[in-house]
Amino acid sequence: MLGTGLGAVTRFKLTNIFSQFHKKFIATFVVNIVGCLIAGCLLPFALSNWFSVTTLGFVGGFTTYSTFNNEASRLLLKKTK
């Protein structure tokens, strides 16, 4: 729970900082790519208890697919209008 909360707050902060320079969709996409890279780097530690906290918790909250899907849908609806 703590890892997921920290991941979500970190995603929110980074998305807000990055979206000042680019579109919000691109910011969320970059955050998701970074989260995938972090998960890949932590994979060798899969048998460790910290793997659950970091990858499943922090990275899971950091890369929330629902945020990416929501922003992609909004972008698509904005383009079709």
Side-chain angles (χ1 to χ4, degrees):
M1 179 176 69
L2 182 61
T4 303
L6 288 173
V9 169
T10 305
R11 179 194 73 241
F12 179 75
K13 294 286 187 180
L14 285 177
T15 301
N16 284 342
I17 291 169
F18 196 83
S19 65
Q20 293 174 0
F21 307 105
H22 300 286
K23 294 184 187 259
K24 197 165 188 123
F25 173 78
I26 299 297
T28 301
F29 181 75
V30 169
V31 165
N32 284 338
I33 295 299
V34 169
C36 290
L37 290 172
I38 292 170
C41 290
L42 295 175
L43 193 59
F45 305 104
L47 298 178
S48 166
N49 289 336
W50 284 103
F51 180 79
S52 296
V53 172
T54 56
T55 303
L56 300 179
F58 179 80
V59 177
F62 185 67
T63 62
T64 304
Y65 179 73
S66 61
T67 302
F68 177 74
N69 190 29
N70 183 24
E71 291 175 3
S73 298
R74 286 182 181 195
L75 182 65
L76 182 63
L77 289 173
K78 198 181 282 186
K79 294 271 183 185
T80 59
K81 288 185 176 182

